[in-house]
Amino acid sequence: GIQVEQSPPDLILQEGANSTLRCNFSDSVNNLQWFHQNPWGQLINLFYIPSGTKQNGRLSATTVATERYSLLYISSSQTTDSGVYFCAVGEISSTLGRLYFGRGTQLTVWP
Amino acid sequence: DAGVTQSPTHLIKTRGQHVTLRCSPISGHKSVSWYQQVLGQGPQFIFQYYEKEERGRGNFPDRFSARQFPNYSSELNVNALLLGDSALYLCASSLEGHRGQEQYFGPGTRLTVT
């Protein structure tokens, strides 16, 4: 199956700072999603972005499919942004909707 | 509209017992997938179901089984529980489960095996 690597594994910021999270993947994809996992475990959809750039408020994401990476930008961080951010991809060679997840980036934002 | 729902929220079982977890997809979605997330890792794919048929299975033993009902809800069953089965079990729904379709996750069931 496809390999997904996220970096950095941990990120500690002060409120108001900006950050960039990276996701590298080992093969061509037809699906790429960014999630925020809240303290109760639920995965919240942030972006569905197999290619291109999207923005939603203080968050934006870019996927360069030909170079097999995606970036998640968080601007003006708030304490409520804390949690684990996951990148998940679907491999283009499969007919399934199966997602492969990275190990996540643990973000902590201090007031 | 309601999102993906799962029950129960938490569950404590003893080694060797059996457990059944339930999931209802978003209205209009016909595909359900199950994932297992152990502490400190990303979710791992267990099964995908579409129109009541299993469309794919991850690297999990036969103790894990699932089914999908005519209303597209799903059950995940785990027999002969082991301590290592302790995890968060997540259900995801998508329109038809085809490759490339966006998936939406439920709140999860946290299973503890003692």
Side-chain angles (χ1 to χ4, degrees):
Chain A
I2 196 167
Q3 304 299 312
V4 181
E5 293 184 2
Q6 291 187 242
S7 59
D10 296 281
L11 192 55
I12 301 174
L13 301 172
Q14 195 145 24
E15 217 169 16
N18 302 328
S19 60
T20 301
L21 283 59
R22 187 177 179 101
C23 171
N24 293 333
F25 42 94
S26 62
D27 206 344
S28 299
V29 300
N30 52 35
N31 183 358
L32 191 144
Q33 294 184 239
W34 282 98
F35 297 94
H36 177 209
Q37 189 164 43
N38 66 24
W40 298 272
Q42 179 150 17
L43 290 170
I44 309 298
N45 288 44
L46 297 177
F47 292 102
Y48 169 76
I49 187 166
S51 64
T53 298
K54 291 185 178 180
Q55 180 158 6
N56 184 4
R58 297 181 295 103
L59 273 60
S60 63
T62 295
T63 297
V64 184
T66 53
E67 297 187 21
R68 300 181 184 171
Y69 73 89
S70 183
L71 301 173
L72 177 68
Y73 305 96
I74 305 175
S75 64
S76 304
S77 299
Q78 300 177 358
T79 55
T80 51
D81 294 331
S82 295
V84 183
Y85 289 79
F86 285 104
C87 168
V89 303
E91 56 187 343
I92 203 167
S93 59
S94 171
T95 57
L96 290 181
R98 172 178 184 167
L99 290 177
Y100 292 85
F101 283 77
R103 295 179 67 96
T105 292
Q106 173 77 57
L107 174 65
T108 304
V109 182
W110 294 96
Chain B
D1 285 341
V4 180
T5 60
Q6 291 186 244
S7 64
T9 305
H10 295 87
L11 204 51
I12 299 175
K13 290 286 190 177
T14 303
R15 274 179 300 176
Q17 286 188 319
H18 163 91
V19 69
T20 297
L21 310 181
R22 296 177 175 82
C23 170
S24 291
I26 292 170
S27 177
H29 285 196
K30 298 180 180 179
S31 178
V32 169
S33 298
W34 287 95
Y35 290 78
Q36 180 197 64
Q37 186 180 17
V38 298
L39 199 62
Q41 297 186 20
Q44 298 289 317
F45 174 80
I46 310 175
F47 288 111
Q48 182 183 27
Y49 275 78
Y50 173 64
E51 291 285 9
K52 296 176 290 181
E53 293 193 0
E54 181 182 308
R55 296 187 68 234
R57 183 187 184 108
N59 188 23
F60 280 81
D62 291 343
R63 298 185 297 107
F64 288 77
S65 63
R67 55 179 177 167
Q68 187 177 33
F69 299 100
N71 67 353
Y72 304 110
S73 66
S74 177
E75 282 183 355
L76 174 68
N77 296 284
V78 186
N79 293 324
L81 284 167
L82 304 174
L83 294 179
D85 295 331
S86 295
L88 179 67
Y89 288 85
L90 295 163
C91 171
S93 84
S94 60
L95 274 171
E96 294 177 343
H98 295 167
R99 62 182 186 181
Q101 287 188 343
E102 186 170 7
Q103 297 196 33
Y104 300 84
F105 283 79
T109 293
R110 195 167 296 278
L111 173 65
T112 302
V113 182
T114 62

